[in-house]
Amino acid sequence: DQSGNGNNATQGTATKQPLIVSNGSIITETQGKPAIGFQQTDTSFGNQEFFTTTSDVNVQAMYATLSIKDTNDDEQTIVGHDSDNNKFIAILKQAASPSSAPRVRETSTDLKYSAPSNSELDAGIIFSYNRNASNNNVVRINNGNSAISSGTDTDLNTDIVIQAIGARTNGLDSWRGKMQEVILFDRDTEDDRTDLQNDMANFYNITLS
């Protein structure tokens, strides 16, 4: 936790710890930078690799550098609430159900967005989410606006309360790809979005659309 609040994301169970080394080599993303490797199988259960925080974190905006793995009809969670099934930012299967991903949810609210293209699978991308003062909820992948395909942007008018990185309730729907950076804000970041995305893109050698 770089905010100074000491709310670090940790995982004390060895079998649920995401990896930084695999087969004796440091895990890297497609652009060559180091990454954290989460569950690499296509099942919801497996090792359920994820991190949890010591208390609730309110999220109004999120920026993450990660890679999306085709999940064989399963869901994978970027951030979620480890004890509440209805608070998360997640990705559904890409190829078969492109209109169902990504998903953003808080309590009964469920916003679904158009999915990334197949060219954005298994490659380092910048995924961002922001809710502004008018309660417009926008997901972007490499700066491209991902349109809402189900629900309306005013349905979600409160922060997403999360406790975990890489999983939803009790470790289910865990992330399958890799993550390099996750930045969470409890405020509207639209005015800073371009600078944030450009800084991440420059560091991780990612081309923005």
Side-chain angles (χ1 to χ4, degrees):
D1 179 8
Q2 296 182 355
S3 70
N5 295 321
N7 192 21
N8 300 310
T10 60
Q11 179 53 262
T13 303
T15 57
K16 296 183 178 181
Q17 292 172 354
L19 303 177
I20 58 174
V21 174
S22 179
N23 297 321
S25 299
I26 294 175
I27 294 173
T28 59
E29 190 50 273
T30 51
Q31 76 284 74
K33 298 280 188 177
I36 296 174
F38 286 75
Q39 180 179 327
Q40 298 296 296
T41 62
D42 292 334
T43 171
S44 292
F45 302 98
N47 290 331
Q48 302 173 1
E49 297 165 355
F50 63 105
F51 298 105
T52 57
T53 61
T54 54
S55 60
D56 287 348
V57 176
N58 290 343
V59 178
Q60 186 172 346
M62 182 195 76
Y63 296 79
T65 308
L66 46 78
S67 59
I68 301 170
K69 186 178 178 66
D70 190 339
T71 60
N72 193 24
D73 209 23
D74 289 330
E75 191 163 22
Q76 55 182 325
T77 308
I78 303 172
V79 292
H81 195 284
D82 194 40
S83 60
D84 190 327
N85 196 47
N86 293 312
K87 304 173 188 292
F88 58 82
I89 299 175
I91 299 284
L92 286 173
K93 182 181 179 181
Q94 306 306 300
S97 305
S99 64
S100 298
R103 288 179 75 189
V104 176
R105 188 165 182 168
E106 166 68 23
T107 62
S108 60
T109 299
D110 195 353
L111 303 180
K112 295 182 179 180
Y113 295 80
S114 55
S117 67
N118 285 338
S119 64
E120 289 162 340
L121 294 174
D122 296 310
I125 61 169
I126 295 175
F127 181 107
S128 69
Y129 161 76
N130 186 76
R131 174 177 60 84
N132 67 17
S134 300
N135 294 322
N136 295 314
N137 293 264
V138 179
V139 163
R140 291 182 173 87
I141 294 175
N142 290 343
N143 199 38
N145 190 340
S146 187
I148 289 179
S149 60
S150 177
T152 63
D153 57 9
T154 56
D155 284 344
L156 197 152
N157 55 19
T158 187
D159 289 358
I160 302 169
V161 182
I162 67 105
Q163 289 181 339
I165 298 174
R168 206 158 79 170
T169 309
N170 297 320
L172 296 181
D173 296 328
S174 56
W175 191 251
R176 313 297 208 289
K178 301 171 186 175
M179 290 190 191
Q180 294 177 294
E181 186 168 12
V182 177
I183 308 174
L184 306 174
F185 293 91
D186 60 357
R187 63 176 176 83
D188 175 13
T189 62
E190 187 58 30
D191 290 343
D192 303 315
R193 176 178 57 82
T194 299
D195 287 340
L196 285 164
Q197 291 179 161
N198 285 341
D199 286 348
M200 296 172 76
N202 289 336
F203 181 81
Y204 291 107
N205 300 320
I206 294 173
T207 301
L208 297 177
S209 56

